[in-house]
Amino acid sequence: NAGVTQTPKFQVLKTGQSMTLQCAQDMNHEYMSWYRQDPGMGLRLIHYSVGAGITDQGEVPNGYNVSRSTTEDFPLRLLSAAPSQTSVYFCASRALGQGSPLHFGNGTRLTVT
Amino acid sequence: ILNVEQSPQSLHVQEGDSTNFTCSFPSSNFYALHWYRWETAKSPEALFVMTLNGDEKKKGRISATLNTKEGYSYLYIKGSQPEDSATYLCAPDTGKLIFGQGTTLQVKP
């Protein structure tokens, strides 16, 4: 069982470039989310989705777009990368019932120069 | 945006010491309280999900309690071991999960 799979593991971008971070889960989880890891601030929620066709903003959505066309996939798009977006990004999913924990992917380390 | 406070921010203890951390959050409109353990260079892993006021969960030497009326949860580690060194995160579930900044525990042998 693969769980939550994130690709790529590492990425270096130049300022202004765009890219998509991929996230896929094979647990049929309705809820998927993206977080970024910032020193001293823990994990901050970027966007989340409670099902196909439904997305919503988290704490720090600016500069990021998401879509949810299938239950399995939840890609995160950086439209015009900025150095402030240098971070480790985690995708996480869970079933929607009360008491269901988040399952995290292994993270994508992004550096914007 | 939900304000989730964790204290202390960091903690250094000796092997064998028992310790506890606090997670504070607004007491209304949440479904559950999550605790996660996050080791360096790894991904966070779920410890507990608590849904009821007065709920207490236990996993080995680690336990947690929840007070929904006053909006706090305690995580306890009995007899800390070096392998307990990690950052411990909490998040109230309001339909989305907003994490506190975490408590980083360092256990010295």
Side-chain angles (χ1 to χ4, degrees):
Chain A
N1 195 348
V4 180
T5 303
Q6 290 184 237
T7 55
K9 286 184 169 45
F10 303 95
Q11 183 71 48
V12 179
L13 291 178
K14 293 187 189 302
T15 297
Q17 286 184 317
S18 63
M19 80 158 294
T20 299
L21 279 62
Q22 302 291 346
C23 176
Q25 53 89 13
D26 61 0
M27 296 173 282
N28 203 31
H29 285 168
E30 300 94 336
Y31 181 100
M32 297 186 74
S33 53
W34 278 101
Y35 292 89
R36 56 177 288 171
Q37 173 187 357
D38 294 313
M41 303 184 77
L43 291 172
R44 292 195 290 171
L45 180 65
I46 305 171
H47 285 284
Y48 67 104
S49 168
V50 296
I54 306 168
T55 63
D56 208 345
Q57 295 181 349
E59 301 171 273
V60 287
N62 292 340
Y64 307 95
N65 275 0
V66 291
S67 60
R68 185 94 180 270
S69 56
T70 67
T71 299
E72 294 79 18
D73 300 297
F74 192 43
L76 180 71
R77 297 184 186 84
L78 282 71
L79 304 175
S80 177
S84 61
Q85 294 178 306
T86 294
S87 188
V88 180
Y89 291 83
F90 287 97
C91 179
S93 73
R94 66 178 184 140
L96 270 184
Q98 279 189 25
S100 298
L102 282 173
H103 298 258
F104 284 84
N106 289 331
T108 294
R109 183 174 294 275
L110 175 67
T111 302
V112 183
T113 62
Chain B
I1 297 293
L2 203 61
N3 188 26
V4 184
E5 298 285 338
Q6 289 190 247
S7 62
Q9 190 169 350
S10 65
L11 201 52
H12 295 256
V13 302
Q14 291 293 134
E15 182 175 354
D17 288 349
S18 293
T19 187
N20 65 86
F21 332 130
T22 304
C23 173
S24 302
F25 50 90
S27 58
S28 59
N29 298 326
F30 81 105
Y31 307 112
L33 192 284
H34 292 228
W35 280 100
Y36 291 81
R37 183 170 180 273
W38 191 10
E39 292 181 71
T40 302
K42 294 188 177 181
S43 302
E45 292 183 344
L47 279 173
F48 305 114
V49 180
M50 295 183 288
T51 57
L52 300 174
N53 186 41
D55 205 358
E56 183 170 343
K57 301 269 190 182
K58 189 173 181 182
K59 184 182 291 187
R61 294 176 292 98
I62 304 177
S63 61
T65 60
L66 176 65
N67 184 321
T68 59
K69 293 180 180 177
E70 296 185 29
Y72 65 84
S73 177
Y74 293 139
L75 188 79
Y76 301 91
I77 303 180
K78 184 177 178 182
S80 301
Q81 299 297 309
E83 57 265 30
D84 295 328
S85 298
T87 296
Y88 293 82
L89 299 168
C90 72
D93 180 359
T94 60
K96 59 187 175 186
L97 275 80
I98 302 291
F99 284 92
Q101 77 276 24
T103 293
T104 299
L105 173 67
Q106 192 72 32
V107 182
K108 299 176 186 176

